[in-house]
Amino acid sequence: MRALLVIDVQPTFCEDGELGVSGGNEVATKIAAFVDKYRTNYQLIVTSQDWHIDPGTHFSSEPDFIDTWPPHGIAGSANAELHPALVNVRADITVKKGHYSAAYSAFEGIADSGETRLSREQVEQAHLAGRTLAPLLREAGITAIDVVGIAESHCVAATALDARAAGWPVRCFSDLTVPVSEELGAAARKDMSAAGVTLCESRLAFG
């Protein structure tokens, strides 16, 4: 059984967002069309969102765009919500990540509780209770994972690599993701390929 992980498709990472990536809006629209066409091929659809409350040095007024970044994905803000193009995606699981840390990978997040602002203690308790992505996927009997979203060079790659490290076969669809820069995208694709992630276009997914 296969799961589709839709990573951080939020206005904050699209054109005119706080940390906008060129091509983000187009990718959001393409992902929505892909889900509409192939939803029945997936046991689970999972969305993740950066949901920062106080991520420490992840935010900086003088970011280096490597380890530090301008404020983005602010918990409760409109730009931290899912992209409007995904309104009909109807995810089975929503993961929010980075409440009090950087948290690039969706596997570092917790299943959404519906509360806008969780305390550090509540986040820690959620992790201890197994409300993280890996156990939820295993409980659902997931045997393979596809990854799409924003940005390929960062959160998409981190999620795909964590999924592989956890033992799942993983595909990343190159036309349903976009990097921060082509140079960083090339480096991420090299890392994913070396880890055994299959890189292909979504048109090859099921036919």
Side-chain angles (χ1 to χ4, degrees):
M1 291 189 284
R2 187 173 292 275
L4 177 68
L5 310 188
V6 181
I7 306 303
D8 297 4
V9 182
Q10 304 164 260
T12 197
F13 295 124
C14 295
E15 290 87 344
D16 298 323
E18 295 90 345
L19 201 54
V21 177
S22 179
N25 287 322
E26 182 180 6
V27 160
T29 300
K30 287 182 176 179
I31 290 171
F34 177 83
V35 172
D36 186 58
K37 184 175 183 179
Y38 292 113
R39 169 172 282 279
T40 57
N41 294 81
Y42 291 101
Q43 175 72 12
L44 288 179
I45 305 290
V46 178
T47 58
S48 76
Q49 293 161 258
D50 257 16
W51 200 256
H52 295 306
I53 296 173
D54 181 11
T57 57
H58 186 57
F59 284 176
S60 174
S61 59
E62 297 181 354
D64 61 16
F65 295 93
I66 299 173
D67 298 310
T68 59
W69 306 88
H72 60 274
I74 305 297
S77 69
N79 276 359
E81 300 296 339
L82 290 175
H83 193 284
L86 303 187
V87 66
N88 293 321
V89 163
R90 303 184 309 280
D92 301 290
I93 298 172
T94 297
V95 170
K96 289 181 176 175
K97 59 187 179 69
H99 302 74
Y100 297 98
S101 63
Y104 291 95
S105 170
F107 286 89
E108 298 177 75
I110 58 174
D112 184 20
S113 65
E115 297 181 64
T116 299
R117 296 182 67 87
L118 297 174
S119 68
R120 291 179 187 271
E121 291 74 18
Q122 286 173 311
V123 172
E124 290 172 1
Q125 289 168 3
H127 278 274
L128 291 172
R131 282 177 46 211
T132 52
L133 186 54
L136 293 174
L137 294 176
R138 296 198 190 283
E139 287 170 14
I142 296 302
T143 57
I145 290 173
D146 294 338
V147 184
V148 300
I150 307 170
E152 178 188 34
S153 49
H154 290 76
C155 296
V156 168
T159 300
L161 291 170
D162 276 357
R164 278 296 299 134
W168 280 288
V170 180
R171 302 186 298 185
C172 181
F173 298 137
S174 57
D175 57 319
L176 301 183
T177 186
V178 62
V180 169
S181 70
E182 185 49 45
E183 180 181 9
L184 291 174
R189 290 189 290 274
K190 182 178 179 180
D191 289 344
M192 287 190 285
S193 182
V197 176
T198 298
L199 307 177
C200 62
E201 293 189 7
S202 62
R203 63 183 175 83
L204 302 175
F206 301 106

